[in-house]
Amino acid sequence: MKSPIRIAVTGATGQICYNLLYRIAAGEMLGKDQPVILQLHDITEAQPLFDGIVMELYDCAFPLLSGIITTDNPEVAFNNADIVLLVGARPRGENMERKDLLAANSPIFIQNGRALNTAAKRNVKVLVVGNPANTNAYITIKNAPDLDPSNFSAMLRLDHNRALSQVALKLHVPVSDIKRMIVWGNHSNTQFPDLSHATVGNNSVSSLITDPAWIENYFIPVVQKRGTAIIEARRGKSSAASAANAIINHMQDWIFGTREGDWVSMGVPSNGSYDIPRGVIYSFPVTCQNGQYKIVEGLEISPSDREKMQKSYQELVTEQEAIKHLLA
Ligand code: NAD
Ligand code: LMR
């Protein structure tokens, strides 16, 4: 039997986590032979909500669940953690953009960064989900100076999956037949879902789309605005089941590696590729191997696509400016 992996999760009494914890404990993230210890964090006021969540975790009798910790102290939650999923944050409501959450949520990620710096394993893998995810990841990294920035990523996988599904529906092909999709930039409506490198078998996706206007007029805006559409359709609640699923997909690929001949979109610290200045947390196509991600280099980008990529970068700079005083 393998020794257990410690997975810390914040916002653990929230709606994403209600769709996530049971799947992790069932082995859907790390495999059916990997025991896990769940180290669950939420704020003090939310602690009573853990009662039902923990009762249900026990009632599932998961063979792989080796332990459960619940706490309102992030250092306790992150203690010796191998994987940390930073979900805890206020979600946006109707008529809000994700960046409107910066003021409310940045203090959470300052605290998370400091606690990670003190308590987590030095090779911990941290995924930032709480919005605005890219800038929250930036804040977390800046507050965890003893950890390598490559231990961190922000979640763009939901956008990536949304893009795959739209193409699958359009071309009537299984999602798994589509490779090399990209969502560039910020997890916001400036993101650039880019299917120009995507393939189905030996064909490029663009060559199979007979009405090219569909890309600009339907595909790109639908993917960019899907979060808002979900909030409207769910009467004010943001995506939870699909977000939990994206967390599992993201971590699986990061840990076990991406498919042969394929890549995924992850928000990672830029290394300067594609004229995106270093340090900003930007979504790139990446391949993963041996637990490390690597930005896919050298893709040909048209001038108009480069403009879209820069627009999302500029938004991230504006977000960073807005929180600069908090990092001083
Ligand atoms: P939710 O409101 O159901 O849960 C949020 C949880 O965070 C609650 O349990 C709350 O108690 C906790 N929380 C509040 N303040 C906290 C603090 N200071 N420290 C730690 N935890 C705190 O929200 P949700 O639907 O689970 O969404 C969580 C976050 O994930 C939101 O920011 C949402 O916008 C974001 N999200 C991101 C993506 C993505 O693709 N990156 C997708 C969906 C949702
Ligand atoms: C999403 O993309 O569904 C989430 O980030 C929630 C939101 O605010 O859109």
Side-chain angles (χ1 to χ4, degrees), residues 91-92 98 101 131 158-159 162 187 226-228 230-231 238-239:
R92 67 176 163 147
R98 296 182 188 100
L101 297 168
N131 278 318
L158 181 50
D159 313 274
R162 288 167 173 164
H187 175 61
R226 190 65 157 196
T228 305
I230 299 281
I231 291 169
S238 62
S239 57

Side-chain angles (χ1 to χ4, degrees), residues 9-19 41-47 49-50 53 72 74 86-93 98 101 104-105 107-109 111-112 127-134 136 154-159 162 187 227 231 234 237-244 246-247:
V9 188
T10 67
T13 71
Q15 53 149 4
I16 292 180
C17 290
Y18 196 64
N19 289 274
H41 176 270
D42 215 313
I43 51 176
T44 310
E45 301 84 300
Q47 295 299 302
L49 297 173
F50 275 130
I53 290 165
D72 61 359
L86 298 178
V87 183
R90 201 183 135 192
R92 67 176 163 147
R98 296 182 188 100
L101 297 168
N105 288 343
I108 299 175
F109 291 87
Q111 193 193 27
N112 283 337
L127 172 62
V128 179
V129 177
N131 278 318
N134 299 50
N136 287 338
M155 192 165 89
L156 272 286
R157 184 53 175 266
L158 181 50
D159 313 274
R162 288 167 173 164
H187 175 61
I231 291 169
R234 283 180 24 91
K237 283 191 189 158
S238 62
S239 57
S242 54
I247 292 172

Side-chain angles (χ1 to χ4, degrees), residues 44 67 72 177 214 275:
T44 310
D72 61 359
D177 284 7
W214 177 85
D275 297 331

Side-chain angles (χ1 to χ4, degrees), residues 17 114 126 165 219:
C17 290
R114 290 179 182 159
V126 182
S165 263
F219 170 73

Side-chain angles (χ1 to χ4, degrees), residues 50-119:
F50 275 130
D51 294 348
I53 290 165
V54 171
M55 280 196 272
E56 283 206 79
L57 279 167
Y58 285 129
D59 292 350
C60 292
F62 289 121
L64 296 170
L65 187 57
S66 297
I68 308 172
I69 294 165
T70 62
T71 178
D72 61 359
N73 180 343
E75 280 190 27
V76 173
F78 302 160
N79 188 33
N80 242 342
D82 301 283
I83 291 173
V84 175
L85 307 174
L86 298 178
V87 183
R90 201 183 135 192
R92 67 176 163 147
E94 280 172 280
N95 305 317
M96 281 174 88
E97 287 304 329
R98 296 182 188 100
K99 63 183 169 212
D100 298 333
L101 297 168
L102 260 183
N105 288 343
S106 338
I108 299 175
F109 291 87
I110 291 174
Q111 193 193 27
N112 283 337
R114 290 179 182 159
L116 284 165
N117 204 48
T118 308

Side-chain angles (χ1 to χ4, degrees), residues 230-299:
I230 299 281
I231 291 169
E232 279 168 18
R234 283 180 24 91
R235 311 286 185 270
K237 283 191 189 158
S238 62
S239 57
S242 54
N245 183 64
I247 292 172
I248 288 172
N249 293 162
H250 180 114
M251 294 311 300
Q252 265 178 344
D253 283 331
W254 193 359
I255 294 164
F256 299 112
T258 39
R259 286 198 294 177
E260 182 67 33
D262 199 7
W263 57 55
V264 292
S265 306
M266 280 170 66
V268 299
S270 175
N271 60 359
S273 301
Y274 302 103
D275 297 331
I276 304 302
R278 278 176 188 279
V280 67
I281 309 302
Y282 191 93
S283 177
F284 290 97
V286 302
T287 53
C288 303
Q289 216 182 2
N290 303 325
Q292 305 293 319
Y293 55 73
K294 192 163 172 284
I295 295 173
V296 175
E297 306 284 354
L299 296 173

